[in-house]
Amino acid sequence: MTAETLRAAHACRAWRPGYAVDVAATWGVFRRGAGDPSFKVAGGALWRAVETPVGPATLRTVTRPGEGCVLGEAWGAGADWVLEHLPSMLGADDVAADDFESLHPVVAESRRRHPGWRVPRTGLVMESLVPAIVEQKVTGQEAFGGWRRIVRRFGEPAPGPGQVLGLQLHPTPAVLGQIPSWEWLRAGVSPQRSDTVVRVAALARRLEELPAMSHAAARKRLVSIPGVGVWTAAETAHRALGDPDAVSFGDYHVAADMGWALTGHPVGDEGLVELLRPWAGQRYRVQRYLELGGAGRPRRGPRMAPRRHLPVA
């Protein structure tokens, strides 16, 4: 690692939460596929490239359970900001966690196996909203591949050692608004989705006000944007806003998998609403515990084939 690489602003923090923290489980929702350029596990640490309100940051996090400590180390103009918000990003604001009642043996078992998971709250709306838009109504393979191409093509290298690790920052709203339509098509992102990305990029400042709003008001503002529906708003809210009730209704798999896990039968969104009534206010927590526990329908048959967005020659 060269002196030039380390010249970026550098800060450290030791956080002692007083309860178990599972960084991998809590931050797993931020990883957009195994090849996500902004997320890496290396040298026993979890690394993230983060575009903060005050500039870019590379964040390195290590957990030391024996000491009850999470060590954060950051580089770049956003280093101090990201370390200040590290506890929130790891669920420190999830005050409803202690009041949660499992009410179902499958949920209870996953909760027992993952005592260090809490709902994260990054406060970074665009970081979660834009990839969620790219993921709308496509397979995971398409979604992750398309977003990976956009980040590698238009994102900047992360500061400090993040650059050595090959970490890339998400493109800023200004950059997103200037990406040509053909680049989106080459990444497999349809015009409907790329148009929505450009639309929210123009509203970025207004959207970054959402963490100061109530969860209900924030979701209402999100779905008022053409192209942002209930699913996209939920995918943003339970990452950026720490909303423990933001279930991913409208997902191709979520309702059927949760129904199977809770009753032995797949259900649709209407059925899932009924199933989750006992957990009103904390319904996303049930979703995530079931995901972490691997509960869901058995997978059969080949994967859905990726769709084409480029004209056929």
Side-chain angles (χ1 to χ4, degrees), residues 279-308:
W279 292 284
Q282 303 218 44
R283 296 175 299 173
Y284 171 66
R285 199 180 307 280
V286 179
Q287 175 185 330
R288 187 59 180 153
Y289 274 134
L290 294 179
E291 290 170 350
L292 288 170
R297 296 167 297 162
R299 295 290 185 248
R300 300 186 180 91
R303 287 184 174 182
M304 184 184 295
R307 281 148 284 202
R308 298 176 61 89

mmCIF file of all heavy atoms in Angstrom, residues 279-308:
data_model
loop_
_atom_site.group_PDB
_atom_site.id
_atom_site.type_symbol
_atom_site.label_atom_id
_atom_site.label_comp_id
_atom_site.label_asym_id
_atom_site.label_seq_id
_atom_site.Cartn_x
_atom_site.Cartn_y
_atom_site.Cartn_z
ATOM 1 N N TRP A 279 -47.770 -9.093 13.621
ATOM 2 C CA TRP A 279 -46.490 -8.382 13.755
ATOM 3 C C TRP A 279 -46.593 -6.943 13.250
ATOM 4 O O TRP A 279 -45.590 -6.357 12.843
ATOM 5 C CB TRP A 279 -45.400 -9.112 12.987
ATOM 6 C CG TRP A 279 -45.012 -10.439 13.550
ATOM 7 C CD1 TRP A 279 -44.246 -10.680 14.655
ATOM 8 C CD2 TRP A 279 -45.325 -11.729 13.010
ATOM 9 N NE1 TRP A 279 -44.065 -12.031 14.849
ATOM 10 C CE2 TRP A 279 -44.730 -12.704 13.847
ATOM 11 C CE3 TRP A 279 -46.052 -12.168 11.903
ATOM 12 C CZ2 TRP A 279 -44.835 -14.074 13.600
ATOM 13 C CZ3 TRP A 279 -46.169 -13.518 11.658
ATOM 14 C CH2 TRP A 279 -45.568 -14.461 12.511
ATOM 15 N N ALA A 280 -47.762 -6.378 13.237
ATOM 16 C CA ALA A 280 -47.953 -5.018 12.719
ATOM 17 C C ALA A 280 -46.931 -4.067 13.341
ATOM 18 O O ALA A 280 -46.733 -4.055 14.562
ATOM 19 C CB ALA A 280 -49.366 -4.534 13.017
ATOM 20 N N GLY A 281 -46.298 -3.291 12.499
ATOM 21 C CA GLY A 281 -45.262 -2.361 12.942
ATOM 22 C C GLY A 281 -43.862 -2.937 12.867
ATOM 23 O O GLY A 281 -42.883 -2.190 12.887
ATOM 24 N N GLN A 282 -43.761 -4.280 12.776
ATOM 25 C CA GLN A 282 -42.445 -4.925 12.714
ATOM 26 C C GLN A 282 -42.428 -6.034 11.662
ATOM 27 O O GLN A 282 -41.703 -7.019 11.794
ATOM 28 C CB GLN A 282 -42.074 -5.501 14.084
ATOM 29 C CG GLN A 282 -42.067 -4.477 15.197
ATOM 30 C CD GLN A 282 -40.940 -4.723 16.173
ATOM 31 O OE1 GLN A 282 -39.806 -4.990 15.804
ATOM 32 N NE2 GLN A 282 -41.251 -4.645 17.449
ATOM 33 N N ARG A 283 -43.178 -5.857 10.606
ATOM 34 C CA ARG A 283 -43.335 -6.924 9.622
ATOM 35 C C ARG A 283 -42.061 -7.196 8.825
ATOM 36 O O ARG A 283 -41.797 -8.341 8.455
ATOM 37 C CB ARG A 283 -44.497 -6.591 8.686
ATOM 38 C CG ARG A 283 -45.849 -6.521 9.389
ATOM 39 C CD ARG A 283 -46.952 -6.073 8.449
ATOM 40 N NE ARG A 283 -46.697 -4.726 7.924
ATOM 41 C CZ ARG A 283 -47.433 -4.144 6.978
ATOM 42 N NH1 ARG A 283 -48.486 -4.777 6.473
ATOM 43 N NH2 ARG A 283 -47.145 -2.925 6.563
ATOM 44 N N TYR A 284 -41.279 -6.168 8.567
ATOM 45 C CA TYR A 284 -40.017 -6.425 7.853
ATOM 46 C C TYR A 284 -39.089 -7.278 8.688
ATOM 47 O O TYR A 284 -38.340 -8.097 8.159
ATOM 48 C CB TYR A 284 -39.302 -5.122 7.475
ATOM 49 C CG TYR A 284 -37.908 -5.393 6.953
ATOM 50 C CD1 TYR A 284 -37.720 -6.086 5.750
ATOM 51 C CD2 TYR A 284 -36.782 -5.019 7.678
ATOM 52 C CE1 TYR A 284 -36.436 -6.378 5.284
ATOM 53 C CE2 TYR A 284 -35.504 -5.298 7.218
ATOM 54 C CZ TYR A 284 -35.330 -5.985 6.016
ATOM 55 O OH TYR A 284 -34.058 -6.283 5.567
ATOM 56 N N ARG A 285 -39.158 -7.140 10.003
ATOM 57 C CA ARG A 285 -38.286 -7.950 10.861
ATOM 58 C C ARG A 285 -38.570 -9.438 10.647
ATOM 59 O O ARG A 285 -37.654 -10.251 10.627
ATOM 60 C CB ARG A 285 -38.495 -7.565 12.327
ATOM 61 C CG ARG A 285 -37.337 -7.996 13.228
ATOM 62 C CD ARG A 285 -37.588 -7.603 14.684
ATOM 63 N NE ARG A 285 -37.906 -6.212 14.848
ATOM 64 C CZ ARG A 285 -37.000 -5.227 14.866
ATOM 65 N NH1 ARG A 285 -35.708 -5.515 14.708
ATOM 66 N NH2 ARG A 285 -37.365 -3.980 15.027
ATOM 67 N N VAL A 286 -39.829 -9.785 10.462
ATOM 68 C CA VAL A 286 -40.189 -11.177 10.174
ATOM 69 C C VAL A 286 -39.595 -11.594 8.833
ATOM 70 O O VAL A 286 -39.003 -12.677 8.705
ATOM 71 C CB VAL A 286 -41.719 -11.345 10.165
ATOM 72 C CG1 VAL A 286 -42.094 -12.795 9.830
ATOM 73 C CG2 VAL A 286 -42.320 -10.934 11.499
ATOM 74 N N GLN A 287 -39.754 -10.745 7.825
ATOM 75 C CA GLN A 287 -39.198 -11.051 6.503
ATOM 76 C C GLN A 287 -37.705 -11.337 6.582
ATOM 77 O O GLN A 287 -37.219 -12.336 6.039
ATOM 78 C CB GLN A 287 -39.434 -9.879 5.551
ATOM 79 C CG GLN A 287 -38.786 -10.065 4.172
ATOM 80 C CD GLN A 287 -38.929 -8.839 3.288
ATOM 81 O OE1 GLN A 287 -39.895 -8.089 3.392
ATOM 82 N NE2 GLN A 287 -37.958 -8.623 2.400
ATOM 83 N N ARG A 288 -36.978 -10.482 7.274
ATOM 84 C CA ARG A 288 -35.519 -10.635 7.314
ATOM 85 C C ARG A 288 -35.098 -11.853 8.140
ATOM 86 O O ARG A 288 -34.149 -12.559 7.763
ATOM 87 C CB ARG A 288 -34.859 -9.370 7.856
ATOM 88 C CG ARG A 288 -33.339 -9.380 7.778
ATOM 89 C CD ARG A 288 -32.848 -9.554 6.369
ATOM 90 N NE ARG A 288 -31.382 -9.562 6.320
ATOM 91 C CZ ARG A 288 -30.671 -10.179 5.382
ATOM 92 N NH1 ARG A 288 -31.278 -10.825 4.404
ATOM 93 N NH2 ARG A 288 -29.359 -10.141 5.420
ATOM 94 N N TYR A 289 -35.797 -12.124 9.236
ATOM 95 C CA TYR A 289 -35.451 -13.324 10.007
ATOM 96 C C TYR A 289 -35.668 -14.583 9.164
ATOM 97 O O TYR A 289 -34.854 -15.523 9.210
ATOM 98 C CB TYR A 289 -36.284 -13.409 11.286
ATOM 99 C CG TYR A 289 -35.696 -12.653 12.456
ATOM 100 C CD1 TYR A 289 -36.491 -11.822 13.247
ATOM 101 C CD2 TYR A 289 -34.346 -12.778 12.781
ATOM 102 C CE1 TYR A 289 -35.949 -11.129 14.325
ATOM 103 C CE2 TYR A 289 -33.798 -12.091 13.857
ATOM 104 C CZ TYR A 289 -34.606 -11.264 14.628
ATOM 105 O OH TYR A 289 -34.059 -10.576 15.685
ATOM 106 N N LEU A 290 -36.739 -14.602 8.377
ATOM 107 C CA LEU A 290 -36.977 -15.767 7.519
ATOM 108 C C LEU A 290 -35.909 -15.870 6.436
ATOM 109 O O LEU A 290 -35.460 -16.968 6.099
ATOM 110 C CB LEU A 290 -38.369 -15.686 6.905
ATOM 111 C CG LEU A 290 -39.538 -15.785 7.896
ATOM 112 C CD1 LEU A 290 -40.871 -15.663 7.158
ATOM 113 C CD2 LEU A 290 -39.495 -17.104 8.677
ATOM 114 N N GLU A 291 -35.490 -14.737 5.874
ATOM 115 C CA GLU A 291 -34.413 -14.746 4.876
ATOM 116 C C GLU A 291 -33.110 -15.243 5.481
ATOM 117 O O GLU A 291 -32.421 -16.091 4.894
ATOM 118 C CB GLU A 291 -34.217 -13.344 4.307
ATOM 119 C CG GLU A 291 -35.352 -12.861 3.431
ATOM 120 C CD GLU A 291 -35.241 -11.393 3.075
ATOM 121 O OE1 GLU A 291 -34.377 -10.693 3.666
ATOM 122 O OE2 GLU A 291 -36.011 -10.933 2.221
ATOM 123 N N LEU A 292 -32.767 -14.744 6.661
ATOM 124 C CA LEU A 292 -31.524 -15.159 7.311
ATOM 125 C C LEU A 292 -31.546 -16.640 7.664
ATOM 126 O O LEU A 292 -30.513 -17.314 7.630
ATOM 127 C CB LEU A 292 -31.293 -14.326 8.579
ATOM 128 C CG LEU A 292 -30.900 -12.862 8.374
ATOM 129 C CD1 LEU A 292 -30.954 -12.108 9.691
ATOM 130 C CD2 LEU A 292 -29.501 -12.756 7.758
ATOM 131 N N GLY A 293 -32.731 -17.145 8.001
ATOM 132 C CA GLY A 293 -32.858 -18.553 8.357
ATOM 133 C C GLY A 293 -32.964 -19.478 7.164
ATOM 134 O O GLY A 293 -32.994 -20.704 7.329
ATOM 135 N N GLY A 294 -33.028 -18.905 5.970
ATOM 136 C CA GLY A 294 -33.113 -19.728 4.762
ATOM 137 C C GLY A 294 -34.460 -20.391 4.574
ATOM 138 O O GLY A 294 -34.585 -21.347 3.800
ATOM 139 N N ALA A 295 -35.502 -19.877 5.267
ATOM 140 C CA ALA A 295 -36.823 -20.488 5.152
ATOM 141 C C ALA A 295 -37.491 -20.029 3.862
ATOM 142 O O ALA A 295 -37.406 -18.872 3.476
ATOM 143 C CB ALA A 295 -37.687 -20.081 6.347
ATOM 144 N N GLY A 296 -38.143 -20.944 3.196
ATOM 145 C CA GLY A 296 -38.830 -20.602 1.958
ATOM 146 C C GLY A 296 -39.130 -21.837 1.136
ATOM 147 O O GLY A 296 -38.822 -22.964 1.538
ATOM 148 N N ARG A 297 -39.740 -21.631 -0.007
ATOM 149 C CA ARG A 297 -40.100 -22.749 -0.879
ATOM 150 C C ARG A 297 -38.857 -23.457 -1.406
ATOM 151 O O ARG A 297 -37.837 -22.820 -1.672
ATOM 152 C CB ARG A 297 -40.898 -22.243 -2.077
ATOM 153 C CG ARG A 297 -42.226 -21.621 -1.760
ATOM 154 C CD ARG A 297 -42.730 -20.893 -2.990
ATOM 155 N NE ARG A 297 -41.832 -19.797 -3.346
ATOM 156 C CZ ARG A 297 -41.802 -19.198 -4.533
ATOM 157 N NH1 ARG A 297 -42.615 -19.602 -5.493
ATOM 158 N NH2 ARG A 297 -40.966 -18.200 -4.768
ATOM 159 N N PRO A 298 -38.937 -24.775 -1.587
ATOM 160 C CA PRO A 298 -37.840 -25.469 -2.272
ATOM 161 C C PRO A 298 -37.770 -25.005 -3.716
ATOM 162 O O PRO A 298 -38.793 -24.766 -4.357
ATOM 163 C CB PRO A 298 -38.238 -26.948 -2.173
ATOM 164 C CG PRO A 298 -39.715 -26.934 -1.938
ATOM 165 C CD PRO A 298 -40.016 -25.683 -1.175
ATOM 166 N N ARG A 299 -36.554 -24.815 -4.217
ATOM 167 C CA ARG A 299 -36.374 -24.336 -5.582
ATOM 168 C C ARG A 299 -36.398 -25.501 -6.561
ATOM 169 O O ARG A 299 -35.718 -26.511 -6.369
ATOM 170 C CB ARG A 299 -35.053 -23.585 -5.710
ATOM 171 C CG ARG A 299 -35.012 -22.307 -4.884
ATOM 172 C CD ARG A 299 -35.942 -21.263 -5.477
ATOM 173 N NE ARG A 299 -35.834 -19.996 -4.760
ATOM 174 C CZ ARG A 299 -36.795 -19.480 -4.008
ATOM 175 N NH1 ARG A 299 -37.932 -20.141 -3.850
ATOM 176 N NH2 ARG A 299 -36.640 -18.320 -3.415
ATOM 177 N N ARG A 300 -37.187 -25.361 -7.608
ATOM 178 C CA ARG A 300 -37.272 -26.400 -8.631
ATOM 179 C C ARG A 300 -37.161 -25.753 -10.003
ATOM 180 O O ARG A 300 -37.640 -24.643 -10.217
ATOM 181 C CB ARG A 300 -38.613 -27.142 -8.562
ATOM 182 C CG ARG A 300 -38.885 -27.844 -7.242
ATOM 183 C CD ARG A 300 -40.166 -28.666 -7.327
ATOM 184 N NE ARG A 300 -40.454 -29.346 -6.077
ATOM 185 C CZ ARG A 300 -41.189 -28.846 -5.111
ATOM 186 N NH1 ARG A 300 -41.715 -27.656 -5.242
ATOM 187 N NH2 ARG A 300 -41.417 -29.535 -3.995
ATOM 188 N N GLY A 301 -36.554 -26.478 -10.928
ATOM 189 C CA GLY A 301 -36.515 -26.012 -12.307
ATOM 190 C C GLY A 301 -35.393 -25.031 -12.561
ATOM 191 O O GLY A 301 -34.719 -24.553 -11.640
ATOM 192 N N PRO A 302 -35.162 -24.688 -13.828
ATOM 193 C CA PRO A 302 -34.090 -23.761 -14.189
ATOM 194 C C PRO A 302 -34.445 -22.333 -13.825
ATOM 195 O O PRO A 302 -35.601 -21.987 -13.624
ATOM 196 C CB PRO A 302 -34.005 -23.925 -15.714
ATOM 197 C CG PRO A 302 -35.383 -24.318 -16.119
ATOM 198 C CD PRO A 302 -35.908 -25.180 -14.991
ATOM 199 N N ARG A 303 -33.421 -21.485 -13.747
ATOM 200 C CA ARG A 303 -33.637 -20.071 -13.503
ATOM 201 C C ARG A 303 -34.358 -19.429 -14.680
ATOM 202 O O ARG A 303 -34.236 -19.869 -15.811
ATOM 203 C CB ARG A 303 -32.297 -19.342 -13.312
ATOM 204 C CG ARG A 303 -31.611 -19.626 -11.992
ATOM 205 C CD ARG A 303 -30.367 -18.772 -11.892
ATOM 206 N NE ARG A 303 -29.724 -18.888 -10.587
ATOM 207 C CZ ARG A 303 -28.638 -18.222 -10.233
ATOM 208 N NH1 ARG A 303 -28.069 -17.391 -11.093
ATOM 209 N NH2 ARG A 303 -28.113 -18.388 -9.044
ATOM 210 N N MET A 304 -35.092 -18.360 -14.397
ATOM 211 C CA MET A 304 -35.721 -17.599 -15.463
ATOM 212 C C MET A 304 -34.635 -16.995 -16.347
ATOM 213 O O MET A 304 -33.642 -16.460 -15.842
ATOM 214 C CB MET A 304 -36.577 -16.482 -14.859
ATOM 215 C CG MET A 304 -37.354 -15.682 -15.890
ATOM 216 S SD MET A 304 -38.255 -14.316 -15.115
ATOM 217 C CE MET A 304 -39.412 -15.216 -14.087
ATOM 218 N N ALA A 305 -34.807 -17.090 -17.639
ATOM 219 C CA ALA A 305 -33.808 -16.566 -18.567
ATOM 220 C C ALA A 305 -33.785 -15.047 -18.523
ATOM 221 O O ALA A 305 -34.831 -14.405 -18.425
ATOM 222 C CB ALA A 305 -34.118 -17.029 -19.987
ATOM 223 N N PRO A 306 -32.589 -14.435 -18.568
ATOM 224 C CA PRO A 306 -32.511 -12.973 -18.597
ATOM 225 C C PRO A 306 -33.214 -12.414 -19.822
ATOM 226 O O PRO A 306 -33.176 -13.003 -20.896
ATOM 227 C CB PRO A 306 -30.995 -12.704 -18.660
ATOM 228 C CG PRO A 306 -30.353 -13.942 -18.149
ATOM 229 C CD PRO A 306 -31.262 -15.064 -18.559
ATOM 230 N N ARG A 307 -33.858 -11.249 -19.665
ATOM 231 C CA ARG A 307 -34.517 -10.599 -20.789
ATOM 232 C C ARG A 307 -33.552 -9.685 -21.527
ATOM 233 O O ARG A 307 -32.551 -9.253 -20.982
ATOM 234 C CB ARG A 307 -35.727 -9.789 -20.291
ATOM 235 C CG ARG A 307 -36.921 -10.669 -20.013
ATOM 236 C CD ARG A 307 -37.749 -10.129 -18.893
ATOM 237 N NE ARG A 307 -37.089 -10.394 -17.608
ATOM 238 C CZ ARG A 307 -37.721 -10.437 -16.458
ATOM 239 N NH1 ARG A 307 -39.002 -10.253 -16.416
ATOM 240 N NH2 ARG A 307 -37.065 -10.686 -15.334
ATOM 241 N N ARG A 308 -33.873 -9.384 -22.766
ATOM 242 C CA ARG A 308 -33.027 -8.555 -23.596
ATOM 243 C C ARG A 308 -33.651 -7.160 -23.701
ATOM 244 O O ARG A 308 -34.843 -7.012 -23.856
ATOM 245 C CB ARG A 308 -32.875 -9.127 -25.003
ATOM 246 C CG ARG A 308 -32.205 -10.502 -25.047
ATOM 247 C CD ARG A 308 -32.189 -11.021 -26.456
ATOM 248 N NE ARG A 308 -31.447 -10.162 -27.340
ATOM 249 C CZ ARG A 308 -30.126 -10.266 -27.572
ATOM 250 N NH1 ARG A 308 -29.452 -11.198 -26.958
ATOM 251 N NH2 ARG A 308 -29.524 -9.460 -28.389
#
